Amino acid sequence: MGRAPCCAKMGLKKGPWSLEEDQILINYINTYGHANWRALPKHAGLLRCGKSCRLRWTNYLRPDIKRGNFTKEEEDSIINFHEMLGNRWSAIAARLPGRTDNEIKNVWHTHLKKRLPQNQQCNVSKQDKEEIMKLDLDATKSNQDAKQEQDPVNSPQCSSDVSSFTTSDNNENNCSITTSNTTNDHDMSIDINNVDSPENDLALDDDFWSEVLSSDNSDDTSGFPAIGDDYQIQIPFSPTVTEEGVLSASSLSMCDNMDFWYDVYTRAEELTGLLEL
DNA sequence: AACTTCCCCAACCGCCGTTAT
DNA sequence: AATAACGGCGGTTGGGGAAGT
């Protein structure tokens, strides 16, 4: 037994939204919120399905949406994140404040995809994609498990995100991961000072991360790393850095070392989550 | 000026995972 | 446990404007 389509009800309007409809939706959500999208159009007096209302709000009317053209920095970030995350537009959007997944998807298909050389457009193998999904699920589960254990009353209400890879001291082998959340700004640096041989696959293995997680570098006796701690990791190749200071890595090395970067990225998110507990 | 083609992007569709009953 | 409802996601479409002929 299949589920009925969202807009199966007769008489519901489809297509572009009018200014009047937009205003009704904005006024309603500003007054009552959007706890129940299904019921919202009926209560607001809109001849739309809840799904259409939700899309209009999340992709266009939300007050925190940044309108206008994408900056070069944003476009570079999308390219970099796409290399790491693939077509996971919502995950990419979460890393670009003010931009929606739909917008990012559009700009990718209309502009950015064309910039890549042909041999890089399909460079992510099925195996890589599966591995990414596995790593991301593991990281997500790890964060969720950790958050479920915390006291829901006394815990800060915040979300974490690794906003960018940046370099420090103009040293291309010296990389930090900048994080932020809604209540505090964190700069969690992972300095990469020692370039090791490409054969060194131990740089980011479980031993390293468990060592980081159990670090007692800080005064904090919880066993978790503290804000401001530096962790030395060995990097098997040199990343390149754009003029804006965003670590891009060459497309080739980024793709060749996708697991490496994805590990850095997801583990940094894990650490950030732990810092906030 | 008229027509065709191309491009952009808002919106839709269908699927999936989670939650409620 | 089974089913339906719901929110969220990624893929795709199609209307409309711009560019080309």
Side-chain angles (χ1 to χ4, degrees):
Chain A
M1 182 186 291
R3 198 178 140 197
C6 176
C7 299
K9 289 181 183 174
M10 296 297 289
L12 292 184
K13 192 179 169 189
K14 290 169 69 175
W17 280 63
S18 67
L19 285 174
E20 187 185 1
E21 285 178 309
D22 282 347
Q23 204 53 55
I24 291 171
L25 183 58
I26 290 169
N27 290 342
Y28 184 88
I29 289 177
N30 285 342
T31 307
Y32 303 104
H34 51 74
N36 186 341
W37 286 114
R38 185 77 163 185
L40 188 149
K42 185 183 171 188
H43 293 149
L46 286 165
L47 286 174
R48 296 276 182 171
C49 69
K51 200 169 187 173
S52 180
C53 293
R54 179 172 58 80
L55 242 64
R56 183 63 179 170
W57 175 257
T58 56
N59 286 339
Y60 201 84
L61 299 177
R62 242 172 48 202
D64 56 330
I65 286 181
K66 194 193 293 181
R67 312 300 306 176
N69 294 337
F70 280 66
T71 65
K72 184 170 184 308
E73 280 184 6
E74 285 177 316
E75 290 182 349
D76 289 342
S77 295
I78 291 170
I79 291 169
N80 290 338
F81 286 134
H82 188 268
E83 285 177 348
M84 287 189 289
L85 300 167
N87 292 0
R88 297 175 59 219
W89 308 115
S90 62
I92 296 172
R95 290 154 174 85
L96 288 172
R99 299 298 189 181
T100 68
D101 54 353
N102 207 35
E103 209 176 4
I104 290 167
K105 185 167 52 183
N106 282 334
V107 80
W108 172 262
H109 286 304
T110 55
H111 294 110
L112 306 182
K113 191 168 64 174
K114 296 169 190 169
R115 284 196 204 164
L116 300 180
Q118 197 65 36
N119 64 347
Q120 286 182 31
Q121 289 187 17
C122 303
N123 212 20
V124 182
S125 67
K126 189 184 175 196
Q127 189 179 355
D128 283 339
K129 284 181 180 174
E130 287 172 354
E131 184 63 20
I132 286 170
M133 292 299 288
K134 180 178 177 299
L135 284 166
D136 201 32
L137 285 172
D138 289 348
T140 302
K141 185 175 185 304
S142 172
N143 279 338
Q144 285 173 345
D145 289 348
K147 284 179 180 173
Q148 280 173 359
E149 290 170 8
Q150 64 181 315
D151 180 347
V153 175
N154 297 321
S155 300
Q157 296 294 311
C158 57
S159 61
S160 67
D161 190 19
V162 177
S163 57
S164 63
F165 292 97
T166 59
T167 60
S168 58
D169 300 328
N170 294 323
N171 180 342
E172 67 179 9
N173 298 326
N174 196 359
C175 169
S176 69
I177 297 174
T178 305
T179 67
S180 63
N181 62 38
T182 54
T183 54
N184 295 297
D185 289 331
H186 295 166
D187 277 329
M188 182 181 69
S189 296
I190 297 180
D191 292 336
I192 301 166
N193 293 318
N194 302 315
V195 178
D196 205 359
S197 67
E199 292 77 20
N200 186 356
D201 291 325
L202 299 175
L204 290 168
D205 65 11
D206 287 345
D207 286 342
F208 165 76
W209 289 108
S210 60
E211 188 178 333
V212 170
L213 289 169
S214 63
S215 165
D216 58 0
N217 283 1
S218 66
D219 295 331
D220 181 3
T221 56
S222 67
F224 294 124
I227 299 165
D229 283 354
D230 288 339
Y231 297 99
Q232 306 296 317
I233 63 174
Q234 294 180 323
I235 185 170
F237 65 95
S238 302
T240 58
V241 183
T242 66
E243 287 180 359
E244 292 79 13
V246 176
L247 178 121
S248 66
S250 71
S251 297
L252 182 61
S253 61
M254 177 68 89
C255 290
D256 283 354
N257 295 277
M258 187 171 292
D259 286 352
F260 172 87
W261 285 112
Y262 200 79
D263 205 358
V264 170
Y265 190 87
T266 55
R267 298 295 184 159
E269 282 193 317
E270 257 183 75
L271 291 174
T272 309
L274 289 170
L275 286 170
E276 293 165 356
L277 296 182

